[in-house]
């Protein structure tokens, strides 16, 4: 989401966020709590007025899901619209053979137990008893639809009423008029001691009833403003110059890919870099263009990338941040310097500002054909699918040699199925598909996918699971992944790179990211809190903020970006709130320019909200 200088978040955005929070707090004590089961996901969706099907729940709670947080829930709710009464009526009318507004129990039972998400006889009887108003063995489906939609609305209304009734929770209605952050871009109050802060809390309660001071004036006591103006990329000097004679330096590279996971987080491979001796180094990362489809440049080429370099300690505590790519040259992000001999860990990173979870509901009724039968009756892959499979082949061919080793292929298998191919299964592949030097060729990769489609008699369901796992939508557009390439040039020694397993080192990347923010710029204490600090990293191409809570209790911080201009946030909203647990660091947001050729202004106000 982008936010401009003169616009406020729409009323719809604020209402939506309040509905999300109301539904969440109807099930959990805090929005910091995680959804830990499919049943909990179902309950909280129902509290938001949704009627999730088994298919819907399975879409968001897969075999790889262990937990979802409040932000994940908000993203899910954006994608899952409410069931409309008219939509339900259309479905029931198809079963109403007499067009008299009624369906017999036998017709309904046959429909509900034999197709779609099959129900048990007991479940069908429960539906019939609810909607059989006259007890005559017929279902008044108009009444049933009305009750179903009414029940969903009542769940949502009850959650909102609970939020409204609780005075403490009401003070966390983020974005409400009473507790909006101050409109001034400069906070006027100074820090107070813990004792004074406790007194301030009681004063706010009294003021809310009798004081003539506006609420925004009172909230300034716990607000902090950060304002940064960044020049356009075209006016920036100081780019890292490519070393002269770079073509004569030793070189190695590895490909990889950022994937948006089911819960909205982003994962990628990480790498070991080995340097035999101390050397000057020129390190770059950039999105990788896949050249098979002509036309406009791929959308992912504007995704921001970075590489964090850490010492390769045996534990997280043994690892330390060495450097990271900050400068930019077109799509390349660059670091130039000198590294000692040894083994390092390369951690790819993207902010999530431009690579995000997409709403797949827009493509539910539009899908590209994947397989077809030839004139001889044999199954074959369409040309559109072959183009995409060729792209996927390039994405997982990490060393770029035009072949897939077992390790490379297993990265694909782990991503799409969660399982690995062992040596015996690989030997079977060698007997059936085109291989060279015990590695799968591009043609062999096509043959393997064709075999799977043939075994399913042309049913594309498994193919779609594969394609969606690799980031494609049903129009075969790559929208939830960004291929990239890391290049390492060394002046005096031959470097080597080795990929590590997928999803390894998430905590290590977070540690590196936090260190890159705290080591470069000083902290500002959140007004009214002696032990809560805001760090802001101000780069030429990205701004990142970090909240450090050194207190022994959690703190809730409201973040307001509405005065920013030409900016997009990784949070996807101009206003949001974060609960930071006691003695914890948490990345608040990343911000990038929408248009890099124009000046952009980051203006953020962080406000402490009363704790529950």
């Amino acid at each position: 989401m982008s936010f401009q200088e003169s616009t406020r978040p729409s009323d719809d955005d604020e209402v939506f966020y309040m509905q999300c929070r109301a539904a969440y707090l109807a099930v959990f004590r805090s929005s910091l709590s995680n959804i830990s089961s499919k049943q909990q996901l179902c309950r909280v969706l129902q509290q938001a007025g949704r009627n999730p099907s088994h298919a819907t729940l399975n879409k968001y709670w897969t075999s790889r899901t262990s937990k979802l947080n409040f932000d994940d829930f908000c993203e899910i709710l954006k994608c899952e619209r409410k069931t409309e009464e008219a939509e339900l009526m259309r479905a029931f009318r198809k079963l109403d053979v007499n067009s008299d507004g009624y369906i017999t129990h036998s017709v309904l039972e046959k429909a509900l137990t034999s197709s779609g998400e099959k129900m048990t006889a007991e479940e069908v009887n429960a539906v019939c008893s609810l909607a059989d108003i006259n007890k005559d063995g017929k279902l008044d489906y108009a009444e049933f639809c009305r009750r179903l939609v009414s029940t969903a609305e009542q769940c949502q209304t009850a959650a909102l009423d609970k939020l409204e009734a609780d005075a403490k929770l009401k003070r966390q209605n983020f974005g409400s008029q009473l507790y909006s952050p101050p409109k001034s871009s400069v906070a006027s109050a100074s820090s107070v001691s813990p004792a004074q802060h406790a007194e301030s809390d009681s004063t706010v309660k009294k003021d809310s009833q009798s004081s003539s001071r506006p609420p925004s004036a009172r909230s300034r006591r716990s607000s902090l403003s950060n304002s940064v103006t960044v020049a356009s990329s075209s006016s920036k000097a100081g780019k890292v110059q490519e070393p002269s004679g770079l073509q004569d330096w030793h070189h190695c590279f590895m490909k990889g890919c950022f994937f948006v996971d089911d819960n909205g987080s982003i994962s990628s491979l990480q790498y070991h870099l080995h340097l035999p001796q101390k050397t000057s180094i020129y390190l770059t990362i950039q999105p990788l263009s896949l050249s098979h489809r002509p036309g406009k440049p791929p959308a992912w080429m504007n995704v921001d990338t970075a590489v964090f370099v850490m010492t390769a300690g045996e534990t997280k505590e043994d690892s330390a941040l060495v450097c990271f790519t900050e400068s930019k040259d077109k799509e390349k992000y660059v670091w130039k310097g000198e590294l000692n001999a040894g083994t390092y860990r390369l951690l790819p990173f993207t902010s999530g500002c431009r690579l995000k979870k997409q709403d797949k509901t827009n493509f539910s009724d539009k899908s590209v054909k994947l397989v077809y039968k030839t004139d001889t009756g044999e199954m074959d892959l369409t040309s559109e699918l072959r183009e995409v499979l060729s792209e996927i082949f390039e994405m997982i061919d990490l060393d770029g040699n035009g072949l897939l080793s077992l390790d490379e292929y297993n990265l694909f298998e782990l991503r799409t199925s969660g399982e690995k191919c062992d040596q015996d299964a690989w030997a079977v592949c060698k007997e059936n598909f085109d291989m060279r030097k015990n590695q799968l060729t591009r043609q062999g990769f096509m043959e393997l996918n064709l075999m799977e489609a043939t075994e399913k008699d042309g049913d594309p369901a498994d193919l779609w699971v594969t394609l969606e796992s690799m980031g494609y939508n049903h129009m075969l557009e790559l929208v939830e992944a960004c291929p990239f390439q890391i290049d390492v040039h060394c002046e005096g020694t031959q470097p080597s790179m080795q990929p590590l397993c997928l999803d390894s080192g998430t905590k290590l990347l977070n540690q590196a990211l936090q260190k890159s923010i705290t080591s470069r710029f000083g902290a500002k204490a959140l007004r009214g809190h002696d032990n809560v600090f805001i760090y802001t990293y101000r780069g030429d191409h990205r701004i990142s903020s970090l909240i450090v809570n050194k207190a022994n209790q959690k703190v809730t911080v409201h973040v307001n970006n509405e005065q920013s201009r030409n900016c997009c946030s990784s949070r996807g909203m101009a206003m949001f709130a974060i609960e930071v647990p006691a003695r914890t660091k948490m990345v608040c947001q990343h911000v990038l320019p929408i248009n890099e050729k124009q000046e952009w202004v980051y203006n953020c106000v962080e406000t402490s909200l009363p704790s529950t």
Side-chain angles (χ1 to χ4, degrees), residues 440-505:
L440 194 64
T441 66
R442 192 184 301 262
Q443 177 61 33
F445 186 64
M446 298 290 176
E447 294 168 354
L448 189 153
N449 282 276
L450 175 58
M451 182 202 71
E452 292 181 352
T454 303
E455 287 179 347
K456 298 292 182 178
D457 197 29
D459 184 351
D462 286 352
L463 286 173
W464 280 122
V465 170
T466 296
L467 295 172
E468 289 178 359
S469 297
M470 295 301 292
Y472 289 86
N473 63 22
H474 280 224
M475 298 302 292
L476 297 185
E477 299 165 325
L478 188 60
V479 293
E480 290 186 352
C482 172
F484 62 80
Q485 180 168 310
I486 298 175
D487 288 86
V488 180
H489 292 83
C490 294
E491 185 177 24
T493 189
Q494 178 61 51
S496 61
M497 291 176 64
Q498 181 69 31
L500 304 175
C501 63
L502 197 67
D503 294 332
S504 66

Side-chain angles (χ1 to χ4, degrees), residues 407-427:
D407 287 340
E408 288 172 328
Y409 179 75
N410 271 333
L411 295 173
F412 167 74
E413 281 293 317
L414 286 170
R415 178 69 200 170
T416 57
S417 70
E419 300 176 353
K420 294 178 70 173
C421 176
D422 58 23
Q423 290 288 350
D424 291 339
W426 194 244

Side-chain angles (χ1 to χ4, degrees), residues 178-225:
L178 180 59
Y179 293 100
S180 287
K183 298 299 177 286
S184 168
S185 62
V186 180
S188 60
S190 60
S191 300
V192 295
S193 68
Q196 289 171 321
H197 180 63
E199 292 172 3
S200 297
D201 280 347
S202 62
T203 304
V204 169
K205 293 175 185 176
K206 294 175 184 177
D207 286 346
S208 65
Q209 297 176 357
S210 59
S211 173
S212 60
R213 293 170 63 197
S216 60
R218 292 195 300 277
S219 69
R220 283 192 183 96
R221 276 182 274 175
S222 54
S223 296
L224 177 64
S225 175

Side-chain angles (χ1 to χ4, degrees), residues 493-526:
T493 189
Q494 178 61 51
S496 61
M497 291 176 64
Q498 181 69 31
L500 304 175
C501 63
L502 197 67
D503 294 332
S504 66
T506 303
K507 291 183 178 178
L508 201 60
L509 175 59
N510 198 42
Q511 175 186 329
L513 181 59
Q514 292 179 358
K515 187 65 176 178
S516 71
I517 298 172
T518 59
S519 63
R520 301 289 293 277
F521 298 91
K524 292 184 179 180
L526 189 65

Side-chain angles (χ1 to χ4, degrees), residues 32 547 549 553-557 578-582 584-586:
L32 199 61
I547 301 174
N549 181 13
Q553 61 277 339
K554 72 177 182 181
V555 63
T556 305
V557 180
I578 297 178
E579 289 186 12
V580 186
T584 299
K585 300 175 184 176
M586 186 175 290

Side-chain angles (χ1 to χ4, degrees), residues 270-281:
Q270 297 179 354
Y271 307 84
H272 269 154
L273 169 66
H274 181 68
L275 302 177
Q277 63 187 53
K278 185 176 181 178
T279 181
S280 295
I281 188 170

